Amino acid sequence: MIRKSIPFLLIAATLAGCTAGPDYAGPPELAAAGGAGGFIRAGDKVSSTVPELAEWWILLDDPGLDRLIEAALADNPSLEAVGARIAQSRASLAQESAGRLPSLGTQATALQGRLPGLDIQDGPPLPPETPGMAQEEEDDTISFYNAGLNANWEIDFGGGTGRRIEAANAQLAAAVANAEDARVQLTAEVANAYVNLREAQQRAVLYRKQSGLQKQIRALTYQRYQQGTLPLFPVGNANAELELLKSQLAEAEADEAVLLDALAVLTGRAPGAPSLEVAPIGEIPLPPERVAVGDPASLIARRPDIRAAERTLAAATARVGVAEAAKFPKLSFMGILGLGGTSPEDIFDVGEFSAIAIPRLQWNFLDFGRVDASIDRAGAARREAAANYRQNVLAALQDAERALARFAQQRAALAALIQVKRHADKSADLNRQRFESGAISRIDLNRTLREQEKANTDLARGRAALTLAWIAVQKSLGLGWQAPS
């Protein structure tokens, strides 16, 4: 039976070479407004050199930040979750790939059946009047016993299995890209929290200095009130300014506590964990003088969320072929090899070798539109994936242009704040000299010194804002994931 089935199986395998559905031809092309010349809002401090993919944060030259990001990449639960999703996608791919191969197993079969009209007696049929005919009435029964191996194999005429493997491959690549995007998001989030922490710490220190100066102003103002040289109103104003500084200090201290907890969670620890190694206070890191951003084309090719959307589109295209393959007939083949015969004793007789081949052809040519509806649904899902890809590209370009515009604006703002700080320093130096010569009072000097500390506070905010804008640029460029070696 197997020998007779071989030509039929070869023909079927040849027919199985056709593949249903459209071949994936790549994502739709979108032209950026900047064109090949680069981003519109790049500015003069931005280079068109293509940046490196990984470890952009080392450009900030802050060992504390480096340690925190390293801890986050090692212990953050969100990365563990995306890693598990990659494992799921790999298992799905292995499962779909195994569908092309026959399944082989062991079996034991006992078959008893009665088929009226079936004549399985040995020799020519006997006439009705033959003696002993009554004993031959059981010749329409069949018995079969077998123990051995069985194999099942389905031949894919429409290429549905190949399309399922293609979709699984694309989904695996999308899962990997999503993991890379999670790494990008995580590194940026840790850097943002760290810079905000340093800014809050410096803000708290400067508010404490201002509060000390303001306490002296309030005390001296109250002395002058008691001496009758000032009315009570300036005392109230001095006290109100001191209370405002106290509230600002409390806000800075609360920000510090919240950001420490955020860093603890990002690095896989409980809020308030004592093992979080962050210096009590430190300088706000500043970005390099020039920034490499590449161009829109390199951005589209590099950002992992865009690559994930592109692979999702490829998977959706392959699923159209899976749906269309249902229109083709299905041929399954089952084979049995083993020992057996018409009696149970035959399965122990090595001379009773049996082989059975059972081909089965199935074709649902009338399904009242079920397959067509499935094809329409897969086509709509593909159009949705294409639209999502276009939206991802446009959002990425918008993100990059916005980040570059903010970065340029923060550079200008920081330059202005540096000038304000210089003027405040000069005023403080001059008023110290005037105070030492007796030209102004301690109250006047302290007010000048408060303005100097206020300029320091504003400058710290400006430094943090510039670094945060630079981090946003790195995030918008899709940097921070490790390129495969």
Side-chain angles (χ1 to χ4, degrees), residues 76-90 172 175-176 178-180 182:
N76 186 271
S78 65
L79 294 188
E80 295 181 14
V82 295
R85 285 195 284 273
I86 292 176
Q88 295 175 46
S89 297
R90 285 202 177 104
L172 173 58
V176 172
N178 283 328
E180 293 165 354

Side-chain angles (χ1 to χ4, degrees), residues 322-359:
V322 174
E324 290 187 3
K327 287 185 173 182
F328 290 80
K330 295 180 180 180
L331 176 65
S332 60
F333 172 78
M334 183 180 73
I336 298 177
L337 296 174
L339 300 176
T342 58
S343 66
E345 293 80 6
D346 293 335
I347 63 175
F348 302 103
D349 187 356
V350 294
E352 296 292 338
F353 181 78
S354 60
I356 298 178
I358 308 174

Side-chain angles (χ1 to χ4, degrees), residues 93 203 213 278 306 315 373 376 407 421 433 465:
L93 175 60
R203 195 163 17 111
L213 293 170
V278 179
I306 294 179
D376 291 341
F407 183 59
K421 171 68 167 52
Q433 297 174 14

Side-chain angles (χ1 to χ4, degrees), residues 416-430 448 455:
L417 291 172
I418 290 173
Q419 294 301 319
V420 172
K421 171 68 167 52
R422 288 175 180 171
H423 289 303
D425 290 342
K426 289 180 180 179
S427 296
D429 290 340
L430 290 173
T448 304

Side-chain angles (χ1 to χ4, degrees), residues 55-74:
E55 298 185 356
W56 53 266
W57 52 88
I58 63 176
L59 297 176
L60 293 174
D61 194 22
D62 192 307
L65 175 60
D66 296 344
R67 287 192 298 270
L68 287 171
I69 291 182
E70 182 180 355
L73 293 175

Side-chain angles (χ1 to χ4, degrees), residues 187-236:
T187 56
E189 198 170 351
V190 172
N192 280 331
Y194 180 80
V195 172
N196 282 319
L197 171 66
R198 291 309 188 203
E199 187 271 334
Q201 290 173 336
Q202 290 206 4
R203 195 163 17 111
V205 170
L206 294 170
Y207 282 144
R208 290 189 189 99
K209 290 182 179 179
Q210 292 185 56
S211 295
L213 293 170
Q214 187 60 30
K215 284 179 181 179
Q216 291 183 4
I217 292 174
R218 184 184 64 173
L220 293 171
T221 304
Y222 186 69
Q223 288 178 5
R224 296 178 66 180
Y225 163 72
Q226 287 181 322
Q227 295 170 357
T229 59
L230 282 178
L232 184 61
F233 180 74
V235 177

